[in-house]
Amino acid sequence: PALGLFLFTIARDPLRIIILIAGAFFWLVSLLLSSLIWFIAVKASNPLDEPLQKGLLIFGVMFSVLLQEAFRFLYYKLLRKAIEGLVALSEDGCSPISIQQMAYVAGVGFGFMSGAFSMINLLADTLGPGTVGIHGDSQLYFLTSAFMTMVLIFLHTFWGILFFHGCEHQHWWEITAVIVMHLAVSGLTFCNPLYMGSLVPSYLLMATAATWAYLLSGGSAQNLQRFLLCKS
Amino acid sequence: MITFMNNSDSEEEPCNERTSLMSAESPPVPSYQDGLQASQAGEVQAHRKRRTGSSRSPNNIADGDVSDSGVPVRESALENEEEELTLKYGAKHVIMLFVPVTLCMIVVVATIKSVRFYTEKNGQLIYTPFSEDTPSVGQRLLNSVLNTIIMISVIVVMTVFLVLLYKYRCYKFIHGWLILSSLMLLFLFTYIYLGEVLKTYNVAMDYPTLFLIIWNFGAVGMICIHWKGPLQLQQAYLIMISALMALVFIKYLPEWSAWVILGAISIYDLMAVLCPKGPLRMLVETAQERNEPIFPALIYSSAMMWTVGMAKPDTAAGGPSQQTWDAAEDGRENHRSPSHADSQMLETRSPAPTRPITSFEELEEEERGVKLGLGDFIFYSVLVGKAAATASGDWNTTLACFVAILIGLCLTLLLLAVFKKALPALPISITFGLVFYFSTDNLVRPFMDTLASHQLYI
């Protein structure tokens, strides 16, 4: 689905592609830094202590989430500057791309990278002999991974929109809501392999975020109706 | 890599306010662009006049009169106009370069992942005589540094040689050299590549079919690259050649040497292009003075001038605006650095001078494109290919390097738009790529592996 989103909405406009790749880049940098921290923590601690390792892992995950959001914020700042530049340079005084579009694309960029990193090794292994999860893991490993990744990509997109909107209008509560949601989703994945616990709430959260973002972007029930009934 | 950006871009409809402003820019051009050489300014001016002159001569004359009076005042306004035009079309150019670089990388990565031949170590080139099988780390490091020094010196010597040839107008020699090397590349390497691919997939093919295929491929390639051909076909050939070359490098360069060479090449590139006495810079300047295209063989261009079917009195500038790069096996040293040197030029040139027919204006849209040297393609692909081949984090690392290189390319093009001169395209991207490769391989991979094993998501 992310690929479909990409093809239909982003591939047309070169500026969006650049913003997408830059978004992916920022996510990557945040991942880098968070893994650096985790790595240092692991090296500094006792590798044989199981609960400690797990605790460190959890700490690493939370830290990474926070870092991701921080980088989203940085990216937002950068895009603000860029938009001012573009407006100054464009002939008719308005920017070729609106901040909301940018929010959307940035979200997709983040989501893309996040999803790619989560899924791609898994996918590569599927090409080989079917040895994933042979150590007694759940049989639904692939399916749930796929769904989880998809929900995460969508969530990143929506969070991007919400986040940027919050920054634009100084609604700090929106930003905190995004961060809390992100933490919640990551935390829910700790319940794996009890899949009920993680997938369902994640989807619920995603639906919430989706409607929220939709409303923020100016949609309404009316628009939806018209779209669905194919009216002009 | 050297990048030029000429700003008289008229991708829009021929007659609107913007283009008539551009035609009026001709008088102030030399003084505005005093950062560039006078000849280039002259060339730009001439191009502009000729470009817009055909259909808009009345406008030109009228605007020329007007602009003459208000030259200093308009200069700044025109400067802004030009800048905005540059940056506005910047995004499109960036994408025009993203696509071929991405394609090249995809081809290289796909081959590396599937064909085993390219990851087997079957010996080394004579340019990297020191082996890396030594027991101690220090020895290995030393060997790789020595290898790098040798390689870089070979490249420098060849570049200087080529520049001298160019300066003393030994064009025939250069042409012959390049043709020979592209011949070698197209035929020999393709043969090897095809052989290996067929082996991998266990497809049988008899020799006559093979001969036919390779002959066709090679002949069309030669024609496309050195003469005229459809733009996309030529771009495809250039991409394939770059990929083949990158594969050869990946196979034959020992591990640590490859990384050190990549780093050293970007430093060399930086110096060669930006220092006043750098060979690449001299090459570009000489080419500009003579008002000629840089080289008939080493540059990938994202747009071309449609010379087919148009009466063009001046074909020298028109024809070889797309250039390919080749480095053949035997003449490897001979071709290596010149092609390499010239391939490290990223430039945008204004289109062919004379366009007497106004109906071809829509074709003018194709003219302005950004040019990237083929050596850039090759080294980017080498980086990504090496990441794919040797990283144990497999796809994550490859993806990270890919994104890093693209971002580096973006930044380089941004700098190009700001500085408007030839710029090296290697340093930024390669630095990012190297940083990301090493950090992802060592830091991110354990993290992600642990996360994935617990099925946690961040």
Side-chain angles (χ1 to χ4, degrees):
Chain A
L3 200 60
L5 264 182
F6 171 69
L7 283 177
F8 282 125
T9 56
I10 297 184
R12 298 271 168 69
D13 189 7
L15 200 54
R16 296 188 201 168
I17 295 188
I18 297 179
I19 299 180
L20 179 91
I21 303 274
F25 180 69
F26 271 79
W27 188 87
L28 202 60
V29 174
S30 86
L31 180 67
L32 200 69
L33 287 177
S34 49
S35 54
L36 178 67
I37 306 277
W38 180 77
F39 195 70
I40 294 176
V42 165
K43 286 295 181 198
S45 70
N46 184 4
L48 293 178
D49 193 358
E50 262 298 322
L52 180 61
Q53 290 295 318
K54 191 123 207 275
L56 272 182
L57 197 62
I58 296 182
F59 160 71
V61 168
M62 295 301 163
F63 194 73
S64 168
V65 166
L66 290 174
L67 260 182
Q68 276 181 44
E69 297 303 323
F71 269 86
R72 211 195 290 267
F73 184 65
L74 281 177
Y75 193 43
Y76 164 74
K77 284 272 182 222
L78 184 70
L79 283 181
R80 284 293 284 157
K81 288 226 181 90
I83 247 194
E84 283 160 24
L86 280 177
V87 165
L89 292 179
S90 87
E91 358 182 87
D92 40 1
C94 67
S95 137
I97 188 169
S98 76
I99 189 77
Q100 280 141 342
Q101 281 177 339
M102 275 199 187
Y104 165 69
V105 176
V108 174
F110 268 56
F112 209 69
M113 221 34 199
S114 152
F117 263 65
S118 310
M119 268 310 267
I120 208 154
N121 274 334
L122 212 57
L123 286 176
D125 283 337
T126 58
L127 289 178
T131 53
V132 181
I134 225 175
H135 291 284
D137 289 328
S138 157
Q139 287 160 341
L140 298 169
Y141 189 70
F142 275 126
L143 221 50
T144 47
S145 301
F147 276 113
M148 196 66 203
T149 313
M150 190 176 83
V151 83
L152 204 60
I153 297 180
F154 279 144
L155 273 174
H156 269 291
T157 317
F158 299 134
W159 285 333
I161 300 180
L162 292 173
F163 196 87
F164 279 41
H165 186 258
C167 289
E168 281 284 317
H169 300 267
Q170 309 280 322
H171 291 162
W172 302 117
W173 56 278
E174 272 186 18
I175 300 180
T176 36
V178 169
I179 299 182
V180 164
M181 257 202 275
H182 198 167
L183 280 173
V185 169
S186 288
L188 284 175
T189 60
F190 287 133
C191 307
N192 281 341
L194 180 66
Y195 292 125
M196 269 323 232
S198 64
L199 269 186
V200 172
S202 309
Y203 271 91
L204 285 178
L205 276 176
M206 183 188 86
T208 328
T211 36
W212 194 0
Y214 186 64
L215 288 172
L216 278 184
S217 315
S220 66
Q222 250 184 356
N223 275 351
L224 199 59
Q225 233 176 6
R226 274 197 295 182
F227 169 70
L228 284 175
L229 297 175
C230 293
K231 294 222 177 95
S232 65
Chain B
M1 318 313 145
I2 310 190
T3 44
F4 275 118
M5 202 74 138
N6 284 327
N7 300 322
S8 58
D9 194 350
S10 64
E11 287 185 313
E12 315 279 272
E13 50 280 355
C15 291
N16 59 16
E17 196 210 4
R18 201 184 324 126
T19 54
S20 58
L21 260 184
M22 280 199 298
S23 63
E25 284 171 0
S26 325
V29 157
S31 51
Y32 157 63
Q33 285 178 332
D34 45 4
L36 310 169
Q37 295 89 27
S39 62
Q40 194 230 357
E43 175 189 41
V44 166
Q45 185 179 7
H47 286 165
R48 281 207 193 116
K49 277 212 181 107
R50 276 172 267 172
R51 276 192 59 167
T52 57
S54 52
S55 65
R56 297 183 278 281
S57 33
N59 289 345
N60 199 353
I61 299 173
D63 287 335
D65 290 339
V66 170
S67 69
D68 271 337
S69 53
V71 161
V73 174
R74 294 193 69 166
E75 262 190 34
S76 55
L78 291 172
E79 240 180 70
N80 289 339
E81 281 282 339
E82 291 207 352
E83 272 182 32
E84 105 193 12
L85 284 173
T86 311
L87 281 176
K88 186 155 192 189
Y89 298 117
K92 202 164 184 186
H93 295 158
V94 172
I95 298 303
M96 285 202 285
L97 279 187
F98 266 12
V99 174
V101 171
T102 313
L103 278 178
C104 195
M105 286 197 228
I106 289 180
V107 170
V108 170
V109 170
T111 313
I112 293 255
K113 286 289 185 196
S114 54
V115 179
R116 310 240 73 239
F117 174 70
Y118 286 105
T119 41
E120 294 159 8
K121 314 252 355 119
N122 275 343
Q124 295 179 207
L125 299 172
I126 55 170
Y127 305 104
T128 54
F130 295 97
S131 149
E132 281 196 7
D133 285 331
T134 55
S136 74
V137 172
Q139 181 78 358
R140 192 172 184 183
L141 197 60
L142 184 68
N143 278 351
S144 52
V145 171
L146 288 174
N147 277 342
T148 313
I149 294 179
I150 295 179
M151 193 77 151
I152 300 281
S153 48
V154 165
I155 291 176
V156 171
V157 163
M158 293 327 268
T159 315
V160 172
F161 185 51
L162 183 74
V163 172
L164 286 177
L165 281 181
Y166 194 67
K167 250 187 139 97
Y168 294 116
R169 299 177 187 267
C170 309
Y171 292 140
K172 288 252 167 57
F173 189 75
I174 296 179
H175 278 308
W177 195 356
L178 288 171
I179 289 186
L180 196 66
S181 53
S182 54
L183 209 72
M184 197 60 153
L185 192 70
L186 276 176
F187 286 109
L188 185 67
F189 284 170
T190 317
Y191 172 65
I192 295 177
Y193 178 72
L194 214 54
E196 291 307 320
V197 169
L198 292 176
K199 259 192 236 171
T200 310
Y201 289 109
N202 221 3
V203 174
M205 186 182 275
D206 49 326
Y207 273 118
T209 316
L210 189 69
F211 175 67
L212 200 67
I213 292 179
I214 291 191
W215 171 251
N216 281 341
F217 181 76
V220 175
M222 289 299 290
I223 294 177
C224 246
I225 295 169
H226 290 280
W227 198 44
K228 303 181 190 140
L231 176 66
Q232 298 199 322
L233 195 59
Q234 186 175 38
Q235 288 176 334
Y237 266 105
L238 292 178
I239 294 176
M240 279 194 274
I241 284 191
S242 314
L244 283 176
M245 214 42 229
L247 285 170
V248 169
F249 271 135
I250 295 176
K251 180 174 170 62
Y252 284 114
L253 284 181
E255 305 232 350
W256 290 18
S257 304
W259 298 113
V260 183
I261 284 180
L262 275 176
I265 284 269
S266 41
I267 299 179
Y268 162 71
D269 194 29
L270 198 62
M271 291 191 329
V273 171
L274 292 179
C275 292
K277 275 301 172 189
L280 294 179
R281 188 175 175 137
M282 283 178 13
L283 194 67
V284 171
E285 289 172 6
T286 323
Q288 282 170 354
E289 282 165 27
R290 297 183 194 165
N291 225 0
E292 290 171 356
I294 289 289
F295 244 120
L298 305 166
I299 293 191
Y300 175 94
S301 142
S302 46
M304 83 181 257
M305 301 161 243
W306 287 101
T307 64
V308 181
M310 282 168 65
K312 297 194 72 52
D314 182 7
T315 51
S321 68
Q322 313 76 31
Q323 293 149 0
T324 165
W325 186 85
D326 25 39
E329 263 296 356
D330 324 317
R332 173 87 78 129
E333 10 188 352
N334 300 341
H335 303 280
R336 181 73 192 76
S337 78
S339 45
H340 174 80
D342 294 298
S343 63
Q344 288 161 355
M345 289 193 288
L346 174 70
E347 96 180 52
T348 325
R349 302 193 68 229
S350 53
T354 49
R355 225 165 259 290
I357 313 169
T358 63
S359 63
F360 285 99
E361 256 159 13
E362 65 271 16
L363 295 179
E364 287 187 354
E365 287 185 26
E366 304 275 7
E367 289 167 352
R368 192 55 46 90
V370 184
K371 294 195 171 144
L372 184 62
L374 283 195
D376 295 333
F377 277 90
I378 293 181
F379 281 110
Y380 293 159
S381 309
V382 166
L383 193 119
V384 178
K386 266 264 183 259
T390 65
S392 34
D394 271 351
W395 293 93
N396 279 345
T397 324
T398 316
L399 201 58
C401 289
F402 170 67
V403 172
I405 289 184
L406 283 187
I407 293 288
L409 195 61
C410 257
L411 284 175
T412 312
L413 286 173
L414 196 67
L415 286 181
L416 170 68
V418 167
F419 284 119
K420 301 195 204 340
K421 350 187 278 184
L423 282 185
L426 274 186
I428 301 179
S429 288
I430 299 265
T431 319
F432 275 179
L434 285 177
V435 163
F436 269 83
Y437 170 73
F438 284 113
S439 49
T440 314
D441 199 25
N442 298 323
L443 296 176
V444 177
R445 194 179 37 88
F447 189 43
M448 291 308 289
D449 283 345
T450 339
L451 283 184
S453 61
H454 293 274
Q455 221 181 5
L456 299 174
Y457 284 87
I458 52 165

